[in-house]
Amino acid sequence: MNYKIGITACLLIGITFLCGCTSTTEEVQPLLVYAGAGLKVPLDVNIAGFTQETGIKIIPNYGPSGGLYAQINEGQPADVFFSADWKFIENLEDDGKLTDSIKLLEDNIVLVRSKTGEEKGIEKIQDLVKPDISIAVADPGAPIGQYSENVLDSTGMTEALSQGAIKARPSTVNQVALMVEKDEVDAGFLYSSTASLYNLTPVQRFDTTQSGEIVFGIGIIKGGDEKRAKEFTDYLDKHTDEYMKYGWTRYA
């Protein structure tokens, strides 16, 4: 009798152990979202809303879009790339690293001035050649830097400013905005949306014929969590109103 009881107990323990193993679910990893630094304020709102609605956690990685593209292209883990320059999405598509992509937002380049820049009479881009003017133009490796360079070229200002007026070459649009906000330079070039985010009033706005078309787009990374990445990009596509508050426009 004791022998039978022992066998029964062992079977029950084994069944319990097996049930425990099969019922244990693997922990779901957060989505890894790479995004241009200038998108942080509205994207943080979207991330919070998406997580509340779906329970899916997201870890954002903000930085210059060119640098983020390089990280993804080198094989760093990522699920979604929200780029401030569509060319980086195209590059990843050409490299066979995306499963889907969408053009989402458009923007413009604006000239902003600091308090001291206002006192020095900066009203338009031609005023940047006045004596003792200091300017921040983002590094051309960042989309904002390349667009700013395009504006300088198209307005004939590149050569005029080659004698040292450009005092800083920050790597992100937010750094340019902070330098103007803190009065560390007299003027700088920003996205219209970034100027709005930092409450900096543009003194001049440039057409896309001068800067080049500025398109913010999203790509879903091949080999990542593609299903949930698609859920997130669909959510962003339906909640572009958060970006309209800051001067972006919906891609036509």
Side-chain angles (χ1 to χ4, degrees):
M1 179 66 68
N2 288 341
Y3 175 78
K4 291 181 179 180
I5 292 174
I7 291 294
T8 302
C10 288
L11 288 171
L12 288 173
I13 291 170
I15 291 170
T16 302
F17 177 77
L18 289 172
C19 289
C21 288
T22 55
S23 64
T24 300
T25 57
E26 188 175 325
E27 184 179 353
V28 178
Q29 296 298 312
L31 279 178
L32 303 178
V33 175
Y34 285 41
L39 291 158
K40 186 178 189 309
V41 172
L43 185 54
D44 279 348
V45 174
N46 280 163
I47 287 172
F50 178 75
T51 298
Q52 183 176 15
E53 183 176 301
T54 65
I56 298 172
K57 294 182 179 180
I58 290 176
I59 297 177
N61 176 19
Y62 293 108
S65 294
L68 297 176
Y69 158 74
Q71 291 177 40
I72 295 170
N73 201 40
E74 290 167 2
Q76 293 295 320
D79 299 300
V80 176
F81 180 32
F82 198 165
S83 173
D85 191 336
W86 182 251
K87 75 176 182 182
F88 294 122
I89 300 295
E90 289 182 320
N91 289 347
L92 288 176
E93 287 178 332
D94 292 342
D95 296 334
K97 294 184 181 295
L98 298 185
T99 61
D100 197 9
S101 63
I102 180 175
K103 292 181 177 180
L104 193 64
L105 305 169
E106 293 181 286
D107 212 332
N108 288 86
I109 296 298
V110 296
L111 174 66
V112 296
R113 65 189 179 187
S114 65
K115 180 180 178 180
T116 301
E118 181 179 3
E119 293 169 356
K120 291 181 179 180
I122 297 175
E123 302 288 346
K124 56 187 180 302
I125 193 169
Q126 286 75 17
D127 293 330
L128 300 180
V129 299
K130 291 180 177 181
D132 301 321
I133 296 292
S134 62
I135 311 163
V137 180
D139 187 282
I144 180 63
Q146 185 57 64
Y147 295 131
S148 300
E149 294 281 352
N150 292 347
V151 166
L152 292 174
D153 288 343
S154 65
T155 55
M157 294 296 293
T158 300
E159 185 175 350
L161 297 177
S162 64
Q163 302 303 314
I166 299 175
K167 301 297 184 182
R169 288 283 192 173
S171 62
T172 71
V173 66
N174 286 343
Q175 290 171 332
V176 176
L178 284 169
M179 292 190 75
V180 176
E181 182 186 51
K182 294 178 179 179
D183 213 8
E184 295 174 357
V185 292
D186 299 320
F189 294 91
L190 302 174
Y191 295 124
S192 175
S193 56
T194 309
S196 178
L197 285 164
Y198 283 85
N199 295 313
L200 296 169
T201 302
V203 294
Q204 190 172 359
R205 182 185 182 92
F206 302 96
D207 191 81
T208 54
T209 58
Q210 297 169 298
S211 64
E213 187 182 40
I214 302 174
V215 177
F216 288 62
I218 305 172
I220 296 175
I221 310 302
K222 184 181 293 186
D225 192 336
E226 297 172 17
K227 181 177 181 297
R228 293 191 304 151
K230 183 66 166 60
E231 289 181 46
F232 181 58
T233 57
D234 287 347
Y235 181 90
L236 294 179
D237 193 22
K238 294 175 183 176
H239 292 82
T240 52
D241 55 317
E242 193 62 41
Y243 302 83
M244 309 306 150
K245 298 176 184 177
Y246 302 104
W248 277 280
T249 56
R250 173 84 189 209
Y251 182 80

